[in-house]
Amino acid sequence: MKNPIILKSFILCLLIGSFLFLSLQTHHKTLTLTLKPQPSNDLRIRPGYSSYEAYINHQLDKTLNPKLRKIWTTRDWDRKIDVFSSFFQTLKDENLISNESKALCIGARIGQEVEALRRIGVSDSVGLDLVPFPPLVIEGDFHAQPFGNGTFDFEFSNVFDHALYPLRFVGEIERTLKQGGVCVLHVAVSRRSDKYSANDLFSVKPLVEMFRESEMVHVRKVDGFGLDTEIVFRKKNKKKRMS
């Protein structure tokens, strides 16, 4: 006959183990849903990535491509700076950015956007990309910006389509923007982006829904290197509580 004490201990351990397993599974599912929401009809996440590392490596294939980097630093350098300068000057004329603004360009690669901002007088500007390009671009992941809360007055990006986790991408922008700060996105709505895109956007509605702490300033058509729509948000000022 089996020892009843050993049998009770075995059953107790089995129950505890089952409880912990179910708890971990539940936590994992919650985390996954938080990071990567189910795609809607107007925002679809592209499948095919076996891991986040695989996604990063795919992005690096483009960023580190020697032929592309040569084009970006030679033939495209002045042309892109001129176009970005025109975009930013318009925003400056509309008082959405000023010479005193602290600005961030997300997914800046070799920093033409940063150089354009500096040329129109916004000297405190920096770019963020997976591969640094000193002195214009520092290394970082736009899903987890290496900056403190409320760092910037202005943030610009034309790589929203490269975000595997759009909510994290937007959340990091709103976290690092100051209250009253402005975010400008150039996105593709009427056309599909290249093979390095991680999502496809079919209207601006998902962006409006994701920018929970901001108000939309305007939406307008642009011609920005394959991107057709500019959408501008301003982070809301939180009201101070009455004491």
Side-chain angles (χ1 to χ4, degrees):
M1 186 175 180
K2 294 182 179 180
N3 189 322
I5 296 177
I6 295 176
L7 183 60
K8 289 181 180 178
S9 298
F10 174 77
I11 293 172
L12 181 60
C13 290
L14 185 62
L15 290 172
I16 293 173
S18 299
F19 174 77
L20 290 174
F21 175 78
L22 290 173
S23 297
L24 287 172
Q25 288 294 99
T26 302
H27 174 72
H28 174 70
K29 289 178 181 178
T30 301
L31 181 62
T32 301
L33 290 174
T34 300
L35 291 177
K36 193 173 182 180
Q38 296 299 315
S40 69
N41 289 333
D42 288 342
L43 176 60
R44 300 174 190 172
I45 308 301
R46 294 188 182 181
Y49 297 110
S50 58
S51 65
Y52 191 68
E53 183 180 5
Y55 156 76
I56 292 294
N57 288 335
H58 184 63
Q59 298 301 314
L60 288 173
D61 283 345
K62 181 175 184 178
T63 304
L64 293 175
N65 185 302
K67 291 183 179 179
L68 288 176
R69 292 188 78 82
K70 184 177 181 180
I71 291 172
W72 295 337
T73 54
T74 55
R75 187 187 73 189
D76 280 359
W77 178 254
D78 288 326
R79 180 175 70 92
K80 287 195 172 184
I81 289 174
D82 289 344
V83 173
F84 284 127
S85 295
S86 178
F87 285 142
F88 294 142
Q89 185 61 53
T90 298
L91 296 171
K92 193 175 179 182
D93 294 341
E94 295 169 347
N95 296 317
L96 294 172
I97 188 171
S98 70
N99 288 355
E100 290 71 40
S101 296
K102 185 177 179 66
L104 172 67
C105 294
I106 302 165
R109 294 201 180 102
I110 63 168
Q112 291 108 322
E113 304 96 316
V114 180
E115 180 64 23
L117 282 169
R118 293 180 179 182
R119 288 190 185 184
I120 67 165
V122 188
S123 58
D124 193 359
S125 305
V126 69
L128 178 71
D129 205 279
L130 292 173
V131 178
F133 192 80
L136 300 175
V137 181
I138 67 170
E139 181 179 357
D141 184 344
F142 55 49
H143 289 115
Q145 290 189 24
F147 308 110
N149 297 346
T151 300
F152 298 101
D153 303 287
F154 177 86
E155 298 192 28
F156 170 80
S157 183
N158 57 4
V159 296
F160 173 79
D161 60 297
H162 288 251
L164 184 62
Y165 300 121
L167 265 178
R168 283 291 296 269
F169 179 92
V170 171
E172 283 296 275
I173 289 174
E174 291 196 311
R175 180 184 67 80
T176 56
L177 265 183
K178 297 177 182 178
Q179 292 184 33
V182 170
C183 169
V184 177
L185 298 180
H186 285 182
V187 297
V189 175
S190 302
R191 65 189 80 170
R192 302 284 58 80
S193 300
D194 64 25
K195 65 180 182 179
Y196 294 97
S197 298
N199 70 71
D200 292 301
L201 187 68
F202 296 90
S203 79
V204 300
K205 182 180 178 182
L207 286 171
V208 174
E209 292 174 347
M210 285 188 289
F211 273 86
R212 299 167 181 168
E213 298 180 20
S214 306
E215 294 178 333
M216 188 176 70
V217 177
H218 71 239
V219 177
R220 62 189 172 202
K221 293 296 180 181
V222 294
D223 184 9
F225 309 108
L227 306 178
D228 53 47
T229 302
E230 178 180 274
I231 181 167
V232 178
F233 294 95
R234 188 186 298 276
K235 187 174 177 180
K236 299 174 185 175
N237 288 304
K238 293 181 180 179
K239 296 179 180 179
K240 294 182 179 180
R241 294 182 180 179
M242 298 295 292
S243 57

